[in-house]
Amino acid sequence: MADAGPERRPRAVVVGGGLAGMTAAMGLADAGVEVTLLEGRPRLGGLAFSFRRGDLSVDNGQHVYLRCCTAYRWFLDEVGGARLAPLQERLDVPVLDAAAPARRGPGPRTGRLGRSGLPVPLHLAAGLARYPHLSLAERASVGRAALAMRRLDPADPALDGVDFASWLHRHGQSPRAVSALWDMVGVATLNAFAPQVSLGLAAMVFRTGLLTERGAADIGWARVPLGELHDTLARRRLERSGVRILLRTRATELRRTPGGGWQVDVAAGPERAGAPGAAPLDADAVVLAVPQREAHGLLPAGALDHKDRLLRIGTAPILNLHVVYDRRVLHSPFVAAIGTPVQWIFDRTDASGLARTPGGRGGQYVAVSQSAAQDDIERPVGELRERYLPELAKLLPDARGAEVRDFFVTRERTATFAPTPGVGRLRPGPGTHLPGLALAGAWTATGWPATMESAVLSGLAAVRETLGVLGREVPRNLLEAV
């Protein structure tokens, strides 16, 4: 490592302005490090961002978190956004079965998944007992499987190579129980169906979320555009900490210097041509917080054993359908759906600003979040409209006579890493063989699937790794993060 000298602070470059990179930059700056944050896009936030479509503020995808996501909750607190993304007081998920009519009135049968105030695991018993989408025998079988899941250790390497579907089959789960419960939750959190999911990651989600503390699975989501949290507020927090932020600027090469430090070559976009930051940046440490394939291209020789393993970490897409109706069709903040291609539907009316637009009075904007969307991700918008609007009409009776004012889609083709069996062996930790070079990103070895929680956890791990090399103490606020 280069000698930082008594007269200057150590310097770090963080490559990537998503949640992982912002967390790393924030933590290093709070520890007294001089930080430059590089982001190739014109904004911060990574894959959890917003954009404008006419008068609407649109999130690229619907992101939620759970009460057990302590690292992401810490991030919200640090940027001053916790009140803008509150948690439910108590887990409550309406579930619509498109294949079963309601006993009274139009529309599908509705059930709810929720919890009580009883101790774990009894907190879920009453909700499961009343869940109408499974038979009595299936509900009892789910309860037994949940108890077996509670005995699993997500960190056990043996679980990594087992697929979740095989485990569910061995524990007596019917195809209906898998689709109406396990996959309904698992696809949204893991971005894959049970046969394509590592049991270790499934155990992390279900055991941590449902079987540790009774409020762990309570759901939180942003009541404002994600850009307000992950760009506007986060940028202010970083700037207050002294972080130098270079947008539209990407790293092109990392090099060790003869003195043991680092030099980062950068390329600025057209808007930054000739601007400060286009010259190479000197640093005592670098945090690489970019997707795994980009990290593979930037890592110098010798940084990791078997660097090509990063290329074996697959990706999985998420598709979001955005529908603006001329009237209210969804009467709860969100619903989950079974018996239909539709997975989850969210009311985005207030967050998007629709209610405040001149023509928005009485209308509603809903977002349909489709995880593991390999079959739909490349379909033209017209085909998606023909496929999904009738499905929404089955689920939401008030949509049947409603006018569709707008229909558009957002596609994240590489939204997450694929949580396939064996992926745990491919995910590196924060450290590398080259002192002063650390890795961050939801795809690194956090124990979590690709979630906002995993991203923030990875940034915190990179901070600890880097500060250890620089001989700096971890700031007190970071010690409270997890």
Side-chain angles (χ1 to χ4, degrees), residues 39-74:
E39 171 52 56
R41 302 177 180 91
R43 51 156 182 84
L44 299 176
L47 291 179
F49 67 94
S50 306
F51 62 93
R52 299 295 298 183
R53 180 181 172 89
D55 291 329
L56 297 182
S57 183
V58 177
D59 289 349
N60 70 311
Q62 179 62 49
H63 292 71
V64 303
Y65 69 101
L66 305 180
R67 193 180 296 276
C68 63
C69 295
T70 55
Y72 181 67
R73 290 172 60 197
W74 168 87

Side-chain angles (χ1 to χ4, degrees), residues 198-214:
S198 156
L199 177 57
L201 288 174
M204 187 67 186
V205 167
F206 285 96
R207 188 178 181 279
T208 305
L210 296 174
L211 300 167
T212 51
E213 298 180 6
R214 62 189 178 196

